[in-house]
Amino acid sequence: MAKKGVRFPTIERDYEAEDRIRVQEDMDSLYAVPLSILPLETKGLSRARMVKNVKLQSAIEVFADKETGSGQLDVEDLPAEFDWPEDKTHPDLVILRKLAVLSSYDIYSLRITLREHGIPVNDDVALKLSDEKQAELGGYMRSFTMPLIMQIYGSDDVSIQSFQDVIGLFKDPDVRKAREKLQQMADKLQIDLMEVPRFLEDYGDIFLSLSYYRNSLDAIMPVVNEFLDSMEGIRSNWQLRNDVALMKTCKVVENTVNGTCASISGRFEDFNKASKTMWNNLDAERFQAVKNMIESYHTTIGGVLCGLTVKMIHWKRLFPDPNLGGPVRRSEFIMSEMKQGLDRMRDLEQAKPIMSVLGN
């Protein structure tokens, strides 16, 4: 028992700062969206988020902790949880039901689907990646921005070495020099000088989105490979190999994971081919065609990568080391969790063949 009058030191926490960090981390992710970006009336939901769980179902996560786990509610449970009136549908429920049907919560899919579903965001919210995430994608972006620089400025202009250098022209104190370079870009693109800022904004954003998705796939592939390698241990296990239902499920799961990874990689290759064709004879019209093509696949790619990422994160959390957790435990997870929702991921990927767009 503590002595009377003894005061223990307390650790002050900046909850607002923590919330800002958490919100931005969610905005950088594929599988979580902070509800604070939405104009909800219920204060109790302001620090919650909507997530895709391991079964690829949407849930309201009211708390998450390494020790206690994740506290989740189904959207339809919210009226009872917050004592909403039973005689009419609460406006927050209308918004959250629409949000729940989204396949991915990455910002590029959100931009499209929030608009399509008429879901507003707060006025002060910008659906964009954090500066840290954008810096992380720098290596991917370079392969898309250097061809633009070479097309317009060539290799002789040592003052323009990066996309940020191009953006920096708008802040160049030497107004005449900057204007000459920007006019050079406008002439090359066959657009008005005043249209150059919008072109650069669109160019940077569309290829940042492609870099984001490629980075997301690359980040999860080591775990995908670990998962696929573990299939052999299950198939060869004497206790499991005669379980017909398990063997069938393993085959379906393995084929789905392999197939979606190969298909997404193939889409990236097609995007690269289209962008290279654009760079061979760059103008605003060709860029717009490539931009429209890539944007039309945001929700498909985002949905598939979201599902794959969520599955692999849970797999890695349960089996952090290939030598930990035997075939029986792994098979139980495959039957109870891994197979759930894979059909939606597969159907999403197969719904829109890439060549139908490239052929137009």
Side-chain angles (χ1 to χ4, degrees):
M1 181 178 294
K3 293 181 181 180
K4 187 176 181 179
V6 174
R7 299 186 63 181
F8 291 92
T10 58
I11 300 175
E12 293 187 6
R13 296 176 63 178
D14 188 342
Y15 286 103
E16 288 189 9
E18 290 180 7
D19 283 348
R20 285 194 298 271
I21 293 172
R22 181 176 55 83
V23 166
Q24 193 56 69
E25 287 176 348
D26 286 344
M27 299 290 277
D28 287 344
S29 84
L30 289 149
Y31 50 83
V33 57
L35 298 187
S36 60
I37 74 170
L38 304 174
L40 301 179
E41 296 178 5
T42 308
K43 297 297 184 183
L45 290 171
S46 62
R47 300 188 72 237
R49 61 182 190 161
M50 186 170 283
V51 299
K52 289 293 181 183
N53 60 27
V54 68
K55 295 181 180 180
L56 303 188
Q57 299 168 335
S58 296
I60 303 296
E61 186 178 74
V62 292
F63 68 84
D65 186 86
K66 290 182 179 179
E67 301 297 329
T68 58
S70 173
Q72 299 182 3
L73 293 169
D74 187 271
V75 171
E76 298 306 320
D77 293 334
L78 294 176
E81 182 71 20
F82 291 99
D83 198 26
W84 290 342
E86 296 181 3
D87 58 336
K88 61 180 179 179
T89 304
H90 195 282
D92 289 355
L93 186 58
V94 175
I95 292 176
L96 294 174
R97 279 173 173 169
K98 292 179 179 179
L99 193 64
V101 303
L102 273 58
S103 299
S104 173
Y105 296 131
D106 69 272
I107 63 160
Y108 300 103
S109 297
L110 282 174
R111 289 177 186 176
I112 296 169
T113 49
L114 290 181
R115 183 173 64 247
E116 289 177 349
H117 287 277
I119 304 175
V121 295
N122 292 325
D123 293 338
D124 60 341
V125 172
L127 291 176
K128 66 176 186 177
L129 300 174
S130 67
D131 292 341
E132 291 78 10
K133 174 59 74 172
Q134 291 188 47
E136 180 185 333
L137 300 176
Y140 293 85
M141 276 293 288
R142 185 173 175 80
S143 65
F144 297 117
T145 56
M146 284 310 295
L148 170 69
I149 294 169
M150 294 297 293
Q151 278 279 337
I152 295 174
Y153 299 113
S155 58
D156 297 330
D157 195 335
V158 295
S159 65
I160 304 295
Q161 296 293 318
S162 71
F163 194 65
Q164 293 307 312
D165 291 336
V166 179
I167 301 298
L169 289 172
F170 295 97
K171 301 176 182 178
D172 196 321
D174 188 338
V175 176
R176 190 171 70 87
K177 176 185 174 184
R179 185 178 179 85
E180 287 175 358
K181 288 183 178 293
L182 293 172
Q183 186 63 59
Q184 186 178 341
M185 177 177 287
D187 293 343
K188 181 71 176 181
L189 295 169
Q190 300 175 21
I191 60 177
D192 188 83
L193 180 63
M194 300 302 292
E195 296 177 48
V196 171
R198 177 60 185 271
F199 169 83
L200 290 175
E201 182 181 345
D202 286 349
Y203 190 96
D205 192 64
I206 198 65
F207 287 113
L208 186 65
S209 75
L210 205 51
S211 299
Y212 171 79
Y213 289 130
R214 294 201 67 154
N215 172 253
S216 299
L217 179 62
D218 288 350
I220 208 66
M221 279 309 298
V223 187
V224 170
N225 292 330
E226 281 184 18
F227 169 74
L228 294 175
D229 288 344
S230 73
M231 292 294 98
E232 183 56 35
I234 294 174
R235 281 193 292 265
S236 62
N237 181 269
W238 66 270
Q239 184 180 348
L240 303 172
R241 61 192 178 197
N242 293 321
D243 186 331
V244 177
L246 173 62
M247 293 299 105
K248 182 179 179 180
T249 299
C250 285
K251 185 175 182 179
V252 169
V253 170
E254 188 174 20
N255 287 345
T256 301
V257 171
N258 263 325
T260 51
C261 287
S263 183
I264 289 295
S265 296
R267 289 181 191 268
F268 289 146
E269 289 304 313
D270 286 325
F271 292 150
N272 281 341
K273 290 175 184 176
S275 61
K276 285 179 181 177
T277 300
M278 174 192 73
W279 291 325
N280 288 338
N281 193 8
L282 181 65
D283 60 31
E285 184 177 349
R286 287 183 176 86
F287 166 69
Q288 190 63 42
V290 172
K291 176 178 180 287
N292 292 342
M293 179 188 70
I294 294 174
E295 283 183 336
S296 72
Y297 283 92
H298 275 168
T299 55
T300 297
I301 294 175
V304 173
L305 284 176
C306 174
L308 189 65
T309 299
V310 168
K311 293 290 185 183
M312 291 303 123
I313 285 176
H314 282 273
W315 175 265
K316 190 66 174 178
R317 190 173 296 155
L318 282 176
F319 310 108
D321 187 288
N323 298 317
L324 294 177
V328 174
R329 276 194 63 204
R330 293 167 187 263
S331 67
E332 290 171 350
F333 178 77
I334 288 172
M335 294 297 286
S336 64
E337 307 287 357
M338 183 63 78
K339 72 175 184 178
Q340 302 294 327
L342 278 182
D343 55 337
R344 290 194 293 272
M345 197 170 81
R346 183 178 60 248
D347 293 345
L348 184 65
E349 168 56 29
Q350 294 175 350
K352 194 172 184 182
I354 187 77
M355 293 310 296
S356 65
V357 173
L358 288 177
N360 290 339

